[in-house]
Amino acid sequence: MSIDPVLARIDETLPEATERLLALLRIPSISTDPAYKAECDRAADWIVEDLKDLGFDASKRPTPGHPMVVAHSGGEGPHLLFYGHYDVQPVDPLELWDRDPFDPELQDTAAGKVIRGRGSSDDKGQLMTFIEACRAWKEVNGSLPRNLTIFLEGEEESGSPSLIPFMKENAEELKADLALICDTGLFESKTPAIVTMLRGLLGEEITIKAANKDLHSGMFGGAAINPIRVLAKIIASLHDENGHITVPGFYDGVPELPDEVRAQWQNLAFDHAKFLGDVGLSVPAGEHDRTPLEMIWSRPTCDVNGIWGGYTGDGFKTVLPSEAHAKISFRLVGSQDPHVIRENFRNHIRTMVPFDCEVSFHGHGASPAGQMEISDPAFEKAREALTEEWETPAAYVGCGGSIPIAGYFKSVLGMDAMLIGFGKDDDQIHSPNEKYDLESFHKGIRSWARVLDKLTAE
Ligand code: BES
Ligand code: MN
Ligand code: MN
């Protein structure tokens, strides 16, 4: 059977598909903020209803946090499971948005049509590419692709606290031959990509306390230790002059790239100057002996994501603060162990805290890096499907971001995962004015139809 009628159907119904995505984008399903709990629920309900309309056996499944959505198409054949997340990041700073983040619209820009709104690219637009492919398939063939499971989460942006228990409790139902994940990007804007390596993530929050109250820096300054200065010195020492991270044992488990992967990445002809140039930069800031592509795909990092203390309001105040805080994250690669690194980091910091100061820690998420097993012939089939759609050979790439479930599919359910996504580097995910190109959405839907066609062919 030819896939062409399904592709034609996708082209004809793009306006309706876009309207459905806009409707989902209007639901402010911010998972990290408890004030939006009911909205997360509403987003899950919206998708369940849509999947039921489509003929899936779909349900909203409670967890201690936000609900999961699980849907099955039924039937025989290879069992494929699709994963995406319906939750979105908070919108702050709101004043930098050109419009209400939850009043999305299709806009004409110099670079083409874009769907603007929080979650358009991460990840509602992407998860809808798969659902729309199923819809067109059903409308043309009379039935859904067989033996599909759709599994959507509402807590990805808050570290997926309910995910592992849910996967364990529902292992029989969720275990499939292969997981498909749509939460990553294209390789440069016209080249489709399958992600084979993802970085892990470790979050730490640190507080330095000094005097038992805020002080006047005229009265005490010089004599009383300033915790912001202590914290700044600690943070400055986390990298050496070559960009290496100084936490003891940090590089244990960081592999050198296998030669064939290095060669393959060289073939990608990544435009390093453009990558940095697009965001107003020119000089790579990582380890001196690495290329930017290595820096974002295969090397670990330590970044300060936030730092605060003292007086930061308008005007000026000569306070000598009693506390200083920072949020620090590590991107991990290879077999770096997040729990070991957490301990090493804390112990390392403790050795640097001077007299009269106290340090305390608060841990955030800890997920190891993911390495995808691509020997399954499904990978080559999907690559062919993507190459046909984009008319540029699909690339095997790394991903600097983190999607903890990619690793859990293997460690909890023993299944491989294939990551295919259509986001672009300038989508501004997590930032103001997030967008998804209409082309990403349209060709994303077409791509999934082609991938499903290849993967479900007898
Ligand atoms: N979709 C992103 C991961 C991603 C980022 C893929 C950049 C491709 C490029 C995902 O939703 C995400 O934001 N992950 C977080 C971690 C999560 C545990 C909050 C991240 O990478 O910071
Ligand atoms: Mn995402
Ligand atoms: Mn995200």
Side-chain angles (χ1 to χ4, degrees):
M1 210 164 33
S2 159
I3 191 66
D4 292 343
V6 175
L7 298 177
R9 179 79 196 166
I10 291 168
D11 297 348
E12 284 156 20
T13 55
L14 184 63
E16 291 89 327
T18 307
E19 279 309 317
R20 280 186 289 269
L21 172 56
L22 293 176
L24 178 58
L25 292 174
R26 281 186 204 106
I27 307 173
S29 48
I30 303 171
S31 60
T32 50
D33 186 342
Y36 293 86
K37 188 169 173 42
E39 301 293 348
C40 291
D41 217 62
R42 204 151 68 82
D45 285 332
W46 188 97
I47 300 171
V48 167
E49 281 316 304
D50 191 42
L51 290 173
K52 280 185 178 162
D53 278 352
L54 251 173
F56 278 95
D57 176 8
S59 56
K60 182 174 77 174
R61 309 277 283 268
T63 76
H66 303 304
M68 308 282 176
V69 171
V70 183
H72 304 286
S73 70
E76 306 286 303
H79 185 190
L80 297 173
L81 178 144
F82 175 83
Y83 166 89
H85 62 93
Y86 67 78
D87 63 321
V88 302
Q89 282 276 324
V91 297
D92 58 284
L94 188 57
E95 63 278 12
L96 294 186
W97 284 80
D98 295 333
R99 59 185 293 111
D100 178 345
F102 297 108
D103 179 21
E105 68 171 0
L106 183 63
Q107 298 177 340
D108 251 320
T109 73
K113 287 195 163 68
V114 306
I115 299 158
R116 183 89 58 191
R118 172 57 90 229
S120 54
S121 175
D122 188 12
D123 183 41
K124 288 171 174 170
Q126 302 238 74
L127 74 86
M128 287 306 288
T129 58
F130 191 85
I131 293 177
E132 294 301 342
C134 293
R135 191 183 328 269
W137 184 292
K138 163 98 187 259
E139 286 169 356
V140 170
N141 296 324
S143 59
L144 289 166
R146 271 172 292 162
N147 211 3
L148 276 188
T149 295
I150 293 186
F151 176 38
L152 307 174
E153 177 189 10
E155 299 187 312
E156 198 274 347
E157 300 292 9
S158 37
S160 305
S162 309
L163 191 59
I164 291 185
F166 188 85
M167 287 171 95
K168 286 187 172 155
E169 278 158 31
N170 299 280
E172 275 318 300
E173 185 181 355
L174 296 176
K175 202 176 154 16
D177 295 304
L178 180 68
L180 305 172
I181 301 179
C182 191
D183 195 22
T184 51
L186 298 164
F187 174 73
E188 298 189 310
S189 71
K190 302 278 178 197
T191 309
I194 300 179
V195 169
T196 62
M197 290 164 75
L198 280 157
R199 290 195 290 191
L201 187 61
L202 169 67
E204 279 283 278
E205 204 166 312
I206 132 170
T207 298
I208 308 270
K209 286 191 177 149
N212 58 14
K213 54 175 80 70
D214 281 2
L215 304 170
H216 190 295
S217 71
M219 208 174 292
F220 286 93
I225 190 160
N226 184 328
I228 296 182
R229 188 150 68 92
V230 170
L231 181 62
K233 192 169 171 187
I234 289 175
I235 287 174
S237 78
L238 290 173
H239 294 84
D240 70 14
E241 64 284 3
N242 293 316
H244 287 112
I245 294 148
T246 56
V247 174
F250 184 73
Y251 288 92
D252 292 354
V254 177
E256 272 311 319
L257 268 190
D259 287 341
E260 71 270 17
V261 177
R262 185 180 299 277
Q264 197 196 318
W265 288 7
Q266 255 149 13
N267 271 339
L268 292 174
F270 181 68
D271 190 340
H272 293 107
K274 179 173 187 301
F275 175 68
L276 287 178
D278 279 350
V279 294
L281 301 174
S282 57
V283 183
E287 295 160 287
H288 292 175
D289 52 345
R290 304 285 170 179
T291 67
L293 203 61
E294 280 180 276
M295 288 174 192
I296 57 172
W297 285 357
S298 67
R299 299 298 297 173
T301 66
C302 165
D303 267 306
V304 184
N305 305 114
I307 178 164
W308 69 103
Y311 184 72
T312 57
D314 287 340
F316 207 76
K317 184 174 163 179
T318 53
V319 64
L320 205 167
S322 61
E323 293 189 6
H325 308 261
K327 290 181 195 274
I328 295 176
S329 64
F330 298 88
R331 297 276 172 186
L332 309 177
V333 302
S335 57
Q336 279 182 298
D337 182 332
H339 301 287
V340 170
I341 291 176
R342 193 183 319 272
E343 276 321 297
N344 291 351
F345 170 74
R346 291 182 179 187
N347 289 333
H348 180 58
I349 301 298
R350 287 185 187 111
T351 66
M352 291 189 278
V353 175
F355 277 123
D356 288 340
C357 287
E358 245 175 57
V359 62
S360 56
F361 300 95
H362 177 72
H364 291 272
S367 60
Q371 174 74 50
M372 303 303 125
E373 175 54 61
I374 60 169
S375 57
D376 185 328
F379 279 80
E380 273 313 307
K381 290 184 192 165
R383 217 150 89 103
E384 264 173 46
L386 291 171
T387 303
E388 281 165 20
E389 174 59 27
W390 293 82
E391 294 170 13
T392 312
Y396 283 128
V397 302
C399 174
S402 308
I403 306 172
I405 195 174
Y408 301 154
F409 277 128
K410 189 84 202 173
S411 60
V412 180
L413 298 178
M415 59 200 272
D416 292 322
M418 180 151 71
L419 293 119
I420 297 175
F422 312 101
K424 296 189 181 178
D425 286 347
D426 66 355
D427 280 354
Q428 289 160 262
I429 63 170
H430 295 203
S431 296
N433 300 321
E434 178 178 350
K435 60 91 175 158
Y436 197 44
D437 286 6
L438 187 63
E439 183 187 42
S440 290
F441 186 55
H442 183 190
K443 289 176 84 64
I445 301 170
R446 290 174 53 101
S447 297
W448 282 123
R450 290 182 190 271
V451 170
L452 284 171
D453 182 43
K454 299 249 192 235
L455 297 188
T456 59
E458 255 105 79

